[in-house]
Each structure stands twice: as C-alpha cells, then as structure tokens.
Amino acid sequence: MREVSVSRISEALCQMFIEANRELSEDLEQCIRRSPQQESNPLGKSILQDICENLDAARQLNLPICQDTGMAVVFAEIGQEVHLTGGSFEQAVNEGVRRGYVEGLLRCSVVSDPLRRINTEDNTPAVLHTRIVPGDKVTLTACPKGFGSENMSRLKMFTPAADPRQIVDFVTETVRIAGGNPCPPLVLGVGIGGDFELCAQLAKKALCRPLDEPNSDPYYRQLEEDMLKAVNELKVGPQGFGGDVTALAVNIEPYATHIAGLPVAVNVGCHVTRHKKITI
Ligand code: SF4
C-alpha cells in the first residue's frame, strides 16, 4: 500500500487551478493561434487575433485569461493501492480549491445555495468526480468551468431508433441556440450513452481530452469530424459575429447504455476550455 498525504492533493490542486486559469493547454492554444488563418470574415479574424493577444497578455501579466475563472470541477482517479493519509480527501480537494482561488486572486463565483445565492468567497465547494482505479497512483484533472458556456449545455434522451444524423442535428441545434453566448470559438464535449447523469459527466470528461489526441475509435472519430463540419457550417463565427470558425473541436465520450434508451449530452466549452492533469 502506498501512502499519499492528502496535503499533497491540496497543494497540487491549488497550483493547478492557478495555472489552468492563466495559461491554456498547448493543444488548445495552438488551435486558437492557427484559427485567424482559417477565418474569412474580417471581423471574425480580428476577434481571433484579439483572443491571441489576450493569451499573450495573460501570460505576461500573470493574470487569468478570462474574468470568469469558473466553477472548480475535479476528476480524481485514485489507485486502489493508495492509502490516503492526514485527513479527509474531500476536504483536501476543497482546501486546494480554496487556496488556489484566494491566493491566486481568482474570481470567486460559487454560491452556497442555488436559490438563496450567498457567495462562499473562496469558490468552494468543488464539483468532484471520483473513481477508484487499479494501481498506486492518484491522477487529478482540474477544470475551471465558465458558466457562459456551461449554461448553453443540453441533454436529450433519444429513443434507441435515433440514428447518428439526428445526434449531429442535436449538437448543431445546441450551438445554433447558443449563438454568441458561450464565447465561440467553442470546444464541444459530447457524451453518448450511460444513463441520465453519467451522460452529462461523459460530456464534461470529453472536454478534457487533448485536442491533438484523436479519438481511439475510428467510428467516433468520423462522427466528431461530421459534427465539427456541421457546426462550422452554421457560420455563428467568433463571438457570434459570423464567420467560419464557430468550433475548434468536438470530442465524443461514449459508454454502454440500456436497450431502451440513447442519452446524448452536449457540454459546451468556450475558447478558454481549461484543464490541467497531474499524476501523484
Ligand atoms: S464562456 Fe468562457 S470565455 Fe466566456 S466569459 Fe465564460 S469562461 Fe470566459
């Protein structure tokens, strides 16, 4: 049994949320830097150039890329041969989030109750998804999720008779309804299968797959390409002002489902779809 102190988890998450908010992952940054050449609308091109300048400014000034520093989503994969010591795992996760947002001077956007809406002032609690996996490592993925894009996300329970074309139409309809609200160009995470709640979680997990890592299943790789093409044909464009670059990527995460159902969830990610992953 390998011992891992929960203080290491707090420390790691603190740093990860600060860094994820200041610098995009290399794969997404490269996509954004290439995008002005792919845009024919002069206004869209100029917006994409502004987005590139904003990335440079955030890096030089050590500031967040966006004012919405997100709700703190954490995926944790804990090896079953790990013994976590020194306190509660969930408290350690929230301590890492608290320190990251307070010490990193990141905007605190979380309210303690969805209806009474009092700000917790430290961006806790996190949304935590934990899996027990083989091995003696702890893998953490930190995703600060902005709600301009989160609010545009949708889930639909299709019948099993639905064909892939209908799923592509649902994804494009989601982007059309969203318009400029989720700050395009977008990254779309699509969950297909599972049950109601797992499907939404799959969509969020899909947003964390690096954009330069192709889907390992050629069937879904093709479906991702079809969705990306259909979404870009909408011509919503950068920030919704029209143009060719509406989305940068579509990532699908499938899972087994029931014979009587076909859940599909679209988690809309903006041009600052942030995530950072480490293994302890
Ligand atoms: S949707 Fe994304 S880019 Fe727009 S305000 Fe929210 S975090 Fe920032």
Side-chain angles (χ1 to χ4, degrees):
M1 209 67 166
R2 177 173 169 244
E3 294 206 340
V4 175
S5 166
V6 293
S7 63
R8 288 185 67 188
I9 287 165
S10 301
E11 183 56 38
L13 286 171
C14 168
Q15 287 308 317
M16 288 162 84
F17 276 106
I18 293 173
E19 287 168 18
N21 268 295
R22 289 181 184 165
E23 279 193 30
L24 287 184
S25 55
E26 180 72 17
D27 52 303
L28 178 54
E29 179 158 352
Q30 289 310 318
C31 262
I32 291 173
R33 294 211 182 268
R34 283 194 299 270
S35 65
Q37 288 93 56
Q38 295 153 0
E39 182 53 68
S40 61
N41 174 12
L43 178 56
K45 194 188 273 287
S46 133
I47 289 167
L48 292 169
Q49 284 160 346
D50 287 347
I51 288 174
C52 293
E53 276 181 37
N54 181 56
L55 292 179
D56 292 335
R59 185 170 283 130
Q60 282 159 16
L61 301 170
N62 248 353
L63 287 172
I65 305 159
C66 181
Q67 44 77 32
D68 183 353
T69 52
M71 189 162 190
V73 180
V74 177
F75 287 94
E77 293 185 350
I78 300 176
Q80 63 193 31
E81 285 154 49
V82 171
H83 177 208
L84 293 169
T85 61
S88 145
F89 170 68
E90 284 197 20
Q91 280 177 12
V93 167
N94 282 317
E95 175 61 11
V97 169
R98 188 192 69 74
R99 283 184 46 209
Y101 277 78
V102 172
E103 292 171 19
L105 302 177
L106 305 174
R107 193 185 84 185
C108 295
S109 311
V110 171
V111 293
S112 59
D113 179 280
L115 296 182
R116 287 169 290 194
R117 307 194 77 81
I118 307 294
N119 197 304
T120 63
E121 309 286 352
D122 60 9
N123 225 49
T124 64
V127 175
L128 174 61
H129 306 291
T130 306
R131 277 183 66 216
I132 305 296
V133 298
D136 64 355
K137 303 272 189 293
V138 175
T139 299
L140 301 167
T141 306
C143 329
K145 186 64 172 73
F147 261 52
S149 50
E150 191 75 355
N151 285 337
M152 297 295 115
S153 304
R154 293 164 83 217
L155 187 148
K156 180 168 177 171
M157 304 301 283
F158 283 88
T159 70
D163 64 27
R165 190 66 246 167
Q166 287 169 272
I167 298 175
V168 173
D169 288 347
F170 176 63
V171 173
T172 50
E173 181 187 62
T174 301
V175 174
R176 184 177 51 73
I177 292 169
N181 291 323
C183 303
L186 308 172
V187 177
L188 299 167
V190 181
I192 305 180
D195 63 356
F196 183 80
E197 78 277 6
L198 178 62
C199 188
Q201 196 179 318
L202 291 170
K204 172 78 34 60
K205 190 174 164 209
L207 282 183
C208 300
R209 195 182 91 211
L211 305 186
D212 51 6
E213 188 179 292
N215 197 309
S216 55
D217 183 333
Y219 177 83
Y220 284 108
R221 202 181 312 150
Q222 182 61 53
L223 195 55
E224 288 172 352
E225 286 172 18
D226 294 347
M227 285 177 183
L228 183 60
K229 184 165 178 288
V231 162
N232 282 327
E233 281 170 0
L234 290 171
K235 303 286 177 193
V236 171
Q239 296 292 354
F241 289 110
D244 309 300
V245 187
T246 302
L248 300 164
V250 180
N251 285 354
I252 296 176
E253 191 73 30
Y255 193 81
T257 193
H258 192 281
I259 51 170
L262 175 47
V264 177
V266 185
N267 196 190
V268 179
C270 58
H271 65 273
V272 297
T273 295
R274 300 154 286 199
H275 50 86
K276 211 159 185 70
K277 185 173 181 175
I278 64 151
T279 298
I280 296 172

